[in-house]
Amino acid sequence: MAVFSGDWVLAFGLLGNIISFMVYLAPMPTFYQIYKKKSSEGFQSVPYVVALFSAMLWMYYAFLKSDNTTLLITINSVGCFIETTYICFYLFYAPKKVPTLKLIVMLIVCGFGLIVLSNQLAVKASERAHVVGWICLVFSLCVFIAPLGIVRQVIRTKSVEYMPFLLSFFLTISAVMWFFYGLLLKDYNIAIPNVLGFSFGVLQMVLYVVYKNADKSDKKKLPEIPKNIIILEEHKIPELTEQIIDIVKISALLNAEKIPVASMPINDGIEEAREQENMPKEIEVKM
């Protein structure tokens, strides 16, 4: 029975590693949008900073406990690397970097440093894993609660633009795997937070399904420019150009015809006057 239980622990631990890795990769479409927009405005850095802090705490807890913690070390070391990459990418495109930097200093530098230092100095060696386990439990709950800001934004704006579905889906499945992993190990510091993680994951997926349709209906209400009108306008441009050219030619011809018409009466009057003056002379000569 113990061997059977150990096999299930290994199975859920491996599945938890695989799915948690997918959870870490799920925000990549979000960061692709940030790259295209060249700005992280509208997106929040809180989930990534809290997730990095939680991964660091779980690694510290795994090193203190030292038994059946290899799978915890592997996934959280990968998580630390990926979350650090996300935060650096976010800061590169963030229009306001100060709030994120303050959060990093407060949680990663001061928070984690204070926990490690106080645990090593003020807590007995036999109780260190227990104390850090409770701290990990609290901050794991914070990881699952952190997306509530996005949930609030989705409800307020009725848009799922800033809440990727893949992240919610893999977060829910990961919570199930790690719950059974902690339950079989009788490590309730691992099992308990994932109950809340499963609940929030389901909530996010439900909201995504509800407000995804709302996004589509809003897009349908927007006025669309018919393509045929654009095509007609494109055809009218050369026709209008030809008409303008014809009008210019006609006006040029009319002006050209008016010049001799206006000049002929003047020239004819002068010639007639000259002829009348010359006529008596010609008559006298003939006589």
Side-chain angles (χ1 to χ4, degrees):
M1 186 67 181
V3 176
F4 181 76
S5 178
D7 292 339
W8 279 105
V9 169
L10 180 62
F12 281 113
L14 289 173
L15 288 173
N17 270 255
I18 294 170
I19 298 171
S20 294
F21 181 71
M22 299 302 294
V23 170
Y24 287 128
L25 295 181
M28 289 188 70
T30 298
F31 284 91
Y32 180 68
Q33 291 182 33
I34 293 174
Y35 172 75
K36 287 199 301 183
K37 293 170 61 177
K38 305 300 181 185
S39 173
S40 59
E41 187 174 2
F43 299 94
Q44 298 181 2
S45 62
V46 176
Y48 310 107
V49 178
V50 175
L52 174 60
F53 180 63
S54 178
M56 294 171 66
L57 277 177
W58 280 113
M59 283 188 66
Y60 181 49
Y61 172 73
F63 282 119
L64 289 174
K65 196 172 181 182
S66 72
D67 57 326
N68 294 323
T69 57
T70 304
L71 295 174
L72 278 178
I73 294 171
T74 55
I75 189 58
N76 285 290
S77 59
V78 172
C80 287
F81 174 77
I82 294 176
E83 296 297 339
T84 302
T85 304
Y86 285 157
I87 292 169
C88 293
F89 191 86
Y90 182 93
L91 286 171
F92 183 78
Y93 289 106
K96 296 179 180 179
K97 298 177 173 58
V98 175
T100 302
L101 290 173
K102 285 182 179 179
L103 185 62
I104 291 171
V105 172
M106 184 177 66
L107 279 181
I108 308 301
V109 179
C110 298
F112 184 75
L114 183 62
I115 289 170
V116 173
L117 186 62
S118 61
N119 193 57
Q120 293 292 331
L121 297 178
V123 181
K124 295 179 181 180
S126 59
E127 296 179 358
R128 287 172 186 169
H130 182 70
V131 172
V132 176
W134 276 99
I135 297 173
C136 288
L137 188 152
V138 172
F139 280 97
S140 292
L141 293 176
C142 293
V143 171
F144 293 120
I145 292 173
L148 282 179
I150 300 175
V151 169
R152 177 175 170 273
Q153 185 177 5
V154 169
I155 296 173
R156 181 172 55 86
T157 61
K158 296 182 180 180
S159 173
V160 294
E161 181 181 1
Y162 301 114
M163 189 181 72
F165 178 79
L166 285 177
L167 179 59
S168 302
F169 175 76
F170 286 118
L171 195 65
T172 306
I173 303 301
S174 175
V176 174
M177 297 299 127
W178 287 112
F179 169 76
F180 284 109
Y181 176 81
L183 187 66
L184 292 172
L185 280 178
K186 296 181 180 180
D187 191 335
Y188 299 107
N189 294 324
I190 300 174
I192 292 174
N194 288 288
V195 176
L196 189 61
F198 174 79
S199 303
F200 281 128
V202 172
L203 174 63
Q204 291 180 48
M205 288 191 293
V206 170
L207 287 175
Y208 186 90
V209 171
V210 171
Y211 290 109
K212 181 182 179 182
N213 296 328
D215 283 346
K216 290 182 179 179
S217 62
D218 291 340
K219 289 179 181 179
K220 288 181 181 178
K221 291 180 181 178
L222 294 174
E224 295 182 358
I225 300 174
K227 294 181 180 179
N228 55 352
I229 293 177
I230 297 173
I231 294 171
L232 288 174
E233 292 296 330
E234 289 177 355
H235 285 296
K236 284 183 179 180
I237 291 173
E239 292 178 1
L240 290 173
T241 306
E242 292 177 359
Q243 291 177 4
I244 293 169
I245 293 172
D246 292 338
I247 291 170
V248 172
K249 288 181 179 179
I250 291 169
S251 62
L253 290 173
L254 290 175
N255 291 331
E257 290 177 358
K258 286 181 181 179
I259 292 172
V261 170
S263 60
M264 284 176 63
I266 298 173
N267 292 334
D268 291 344
I270 295 171
E271 289 178 358
E272 288 178 358
R274 287 177 180 178
E275 287 179 359
Q276 290 177 359
E277 292 177 357
N278 294 330
M279 280 181 66
K281 293 180 181 180
E282 292 177 358
I283 293 169
E284 289 178 358
V285 172
K286 289 180 179 179
M287 290 178 65

